[in-house]
Amino acid sequence: MTPLPLPPLPAGLPASWAARRPTADDIPAVHALCAANDEAVLGFTDVSLVDIEADLTAPNADLTRNQAVVVDEDADSRLVLWAWIEDHSAGRTMVDLYLDRMLDDATSDALAAWGWAFVAARAEEIAATRGVDVTTLNAGTNDGDTAAERWVSREGFARARTFWRMGRAVGPDDAFPDPGPGVVVRPFAVEGDAHKRDRRLAYEIHEESFSEHWNFHAASYDAWWTRWQSSAGLDFDLWRIAEVDGVPAGLLIATTQMADEGALFVDTLGTLSTARRRGVGNALLHTSFADARRRGLTHVRLNVDSLNQTGATSLYEAVGMRVEFAIHGWQREIAARVPAAG
């Protein structure tokens, strides 16, 4: 598909700056921009090259419509902005905006306003194609990122939630307990019909176990599977199904997207309500600790809603995980608008 034209940059920005659609060739430059943002706020990088590759090429973050970069053509096409939009599900649109943190406040504010206007306009079109009256934009900022908070606040976003990055070290001499009575954690089938059955089962456990969580939007199996196929660090050898008395009860999906940091990342951990307080989550987590050690990794990390009502935070603390930093979730509702032809 031919990339759609982008709106002109606002007056007053350097004449050497140009807006265009990104390509896969921009992955290293986008990663450098995002990593510099993390360094400026956290003091370390929390984004990997595989994260950026997955986001940039995600099927629902179309390069020709849902992304934009601004480059300085007088500085070897250095990136000064990356805007990203993912059509996550009906009524839920994920968005992100990264700017060069070396810019002065007036320049960065003007550039951020242009970027968020582009995001909002595309979100209006997404809502229309989804057949919904409004879609909720979901953005995230690292705790302490006052500049990013200023930009999203000016664009009508409100802080809605805080998530914690939690983690723990895994040592070669750590001993992990056996699952509780009746609990079995089994590997995920990696090929053939058994793999297809386990994919469907994982989807069903995920949708049911997360249905009561904040900001949950149901997804079809095809949409769920499409997102996973293009996700960062996909490795079915790190997926696990838990059963209680022979009945499916829980799901753990870990990835290798943080392997360069020596960490296993637990992307998804869900337990069916009928199986809670049976030790399912505990058993799945300890399996991930053992998997990390098996892979030669030294840490396990995950994200959790700080207001999670299913007891997840207490479970993670009980197995030795501690908060490393906070991520704030911001939301804004956008009304639908019929997209332009093209």
Side-chain angles (χ1 to χ4, degrees):
M1 182 179 294
T2 302
L4 293 182
L6 288 163
L9 293 174
L13 294 180
S16 61
W17 286 8
R20 62 170 173 81
R21 301 290 180 173
T23 70
D25 291 339
D26 291 312
I27 290 172
V30 171
H31 176 251
L33 178 67
C34 297
N37 273 250
D38 281 354
E39 289 279 357
V41 178
L42 300 174
F44 58 88
T45 299
D46 187 55
V47 61
S48 68
L49 196 63
V50 294
D51 289 328
I52 298 303
E53 181 179 7
D55 284 347
L56 203 78
T57 60
N60 290 344
D62 183 0
L63 285 168
T64 68
R65 289 176 176 267
N66 290 16
Q67 299 186 53
V69 294
V70 175
V71 300
D72 185 348
E73 295 181 336
D74 282 352
D76 296 325
S77 295
R78 175 176 61 92
L79 259 63
V80 294
L81 173 145
W82 176 48
W84 176 88
I85 308 154
E86 183 193 35
D87 178 11
H88 185 276
S89 55
R92 184 182 183 190
T93 305
M94 311 301 293
V95 297
D96 230 333
L97 186 72
Y98 289 89
L99 272 68
D100 184 344
R101 292 307 177 92
M102 299 301 291
L103 304 175
D104 62 76
D105 286 351
T107 302
S108 63
D109 285 355
L111 187 60
W114 178 89
W116 282 120
F118 158 72
V119 166
R122 179 60 186 137
E124 292 172 350
E125 296 177 345
I126 288 172
T129 58
R130 280 284 192 172
V132 296
D133 293 332
V134 298
T135 189
T136 300
L137 303 190
N138 293 263
T141 63
N142 289 324
D143 186 50
D145 193 344
T146 55
E149 291 188 357
R150 182 174 74 248
W151 300 326
V152 293
S153 297
R154 287 179 177 177
E155 297 303 321
F157 285 80
R159 188 188 291 187
R161 214 70 165 186
T162 294
F163 297 85
W164 290 332
R165 167 66 52 75
M166 300 185 71
R168 64 157 279 181
V170 177
D173 299 323
D174 285 355
F176 305 124
D178 293 330
V183 178
V184 173
V185 176
R186 68 168 177 84
F188 194 86
V190 298
E191 58 185 12
D193 290 341
H195 175 64
K196 294 178 182 178
R197 288 193 296 270
D198 272 358
R199 281 182 359 212
R200 175 67 68 168
L201 177 59
Y203 162 74
E204 292 170 353
I205 294 174
H206 175 270
E207 292 295 287
E208 183 176 344
S209 63
F210 281 89
S211 62
E212 62 197 72
H213 285 217
W214 175 80
N215 206 31
F216 172 80
H217 287 68
S220 68
Y221 170 76
D222 287 342
W224 179 87
W225 176 233
T226 295
R227 283 203 304 273
W228 271 111
Q229 283 180 295
S230 61
S231 62
L234 178 65
D235 187 337
F236 292 118
D237 187 44
L238 298 173
W239 291 40
R240 295 287 183 271
I241 300 290
E243 299 175 349
V244 174
D245 299 328
V247 178
L251 168 72
L252 181 141
I253 299 175
T255 77
T256 61
Q257 66 196 79
M258 291 186 178
D260 287 348
E261 304 170 36
L264 184 76
F265 183 66
V266 175
D267 181 280
T268 300
L269 177 63
T271 302
L272 299 182
S273 58
T274 53
R276 288 181 186 146
R277 292 176 294 278
R278 292 291 301 270
V280 172
N282 188 292
L284 286 167
L285 278 172
H286 280 104
T287 299
S288 74
F289 300 157
D291 282 339
R293 185 171 63 184
R294 176 171 58 89
R295 293 289 184 95
L297 303 173
T298 58
H299 288 78
V300 172
R301 296 191 175 112
L302 51 76
N303 293 338
V304 61
D305 181 349
S306 64
L307 298 179
N308 182 281
Q309 297 180 343
T310 64
T313 303
S314 297
L315 167 63
Y316 302 152
E317 291 174 339
V319 297
M321 306 189 86
R322 297 294 179 262
V323 175
E324 297 180 350
F325 63 92
I327 305 160
H328 302 303
W330 299 74
Q331 291 188 327
R332 173 189 172 188
E333 286 194 345
I334 292 288
R337 176 173 61 88
V338 177

